[in-house]
Amino acid sequence: MHLKEEMRDLRMGFSDLLFYNNGDISEEVWDVVLYSILAAERNIQEGFYQACMSGDGETKNAYHRQYFPYTLEALRKHVDGTLKVLDTLSERANSYDRSTHPRIPVILKHNTFVKGTFLKVSEKLNAMASELDDSES
């Protein structure tokens, strides 16, 4: 998910967009993803932008409630894709000779940490999707 333009528009940096190792997702992640989704409807996106920039939490949350299924699906796709990439990168790293690539253990440890975080985020997103499905039934 490449949202640099959206991040710039909302005055956010990478340090604002966090997945926590307990599976929580920063509010800024939800905001940037929703802002990106709303790009298809510029008038709606502008309303959300104004709510974000003015600190109008009530209006911003109304947008989040209305478009939650779309934001949730986009985040699930991003997390699932990242998990696949991490597996591929770890497999590739394991194929290198550690005597000529001494940092492989550090890379694998990092990938394991990131994967663990993303798995917890995935669990939370899946639980949210399940709750959403139950509420729509």
Side-chain angles (χ1 to χ4, degrees):
M1 186 176 289
H2 302 283
L3 302 175
K4 288 182 183 176
E5 185 176 319
E6 292 83 350
M7 291 167 55
R8 187 195 69 234
D9 290 350
L10 295 174
R11 300 181 187 135
M12 293 180 192
F14 289 108
S15 63
D16 299 309
L17 306 177
L18 302 173
F19 291 151
Y20 298 96
N21 61 7
N22 65 358
D24 287 347
I25 302 166
S26 70
E27 179 180 339
E28 293 84 357
V29 169
W30 292 100
D31 290 349
V32 168
V33 173
L34 178 54
Y35 184 75
S36 172
I37 290 167
L38 295 176
E41 298 287 336
R42 290 288 183 193
N43 290 338
I44 297 171
Q45 186 189 46
E46 179 61 24
F48 180 70
Y49 173 82
Q50 291 301 326
C52 289
M53 293 298 102
S54 68
D56 183 353
E58 188 175 321
T59 300
K60 188 171 90 163
N61 288 335
Y63 279 100
H64 278 294
R65 282 189 301 275
Q66 182 174 354
Y67 294 96
F68 178 72
Y70 305 104
T71 311
L72 177 62
E73 185 57 30
L75 280 171
R76 289 175 78 193
K77 284 181 182 178
H78 171 66
V79 169
D80 291 346
T82 301
L83 286 167
K84 288 177 186 171
V85 168
L86 284 167
D87 285 340
T88 300
L89 292 173
S90 292
E91 286 175 25
R92 186 181 308 156
N94 270 320
S95 72
Y96 291 119
D97 180 356
R98 291 175 191 220
S99 66
T100 56
H101 296 87
R103 291 188 173 170
I104 293 298
V106 174
I107 292 168
L108 290 171
K109 189 171 184 176
H110 173 265
N111 287 358
T112 299
F113 171 76
V114 173
K115 183 176 180 177
T117 299
F118 272 69
L119 284 170
K120 288 187 178 168
V121 170
S122 179
E123 288 173 18
K124 286 204 175 187
L125 292 171
N126 290 337
M128 290 176 195
S130 181
E131 288 176 25
L132 185 63
D133 291 342
D134 290 346
S135 71
E136 291 177 349
S137 321

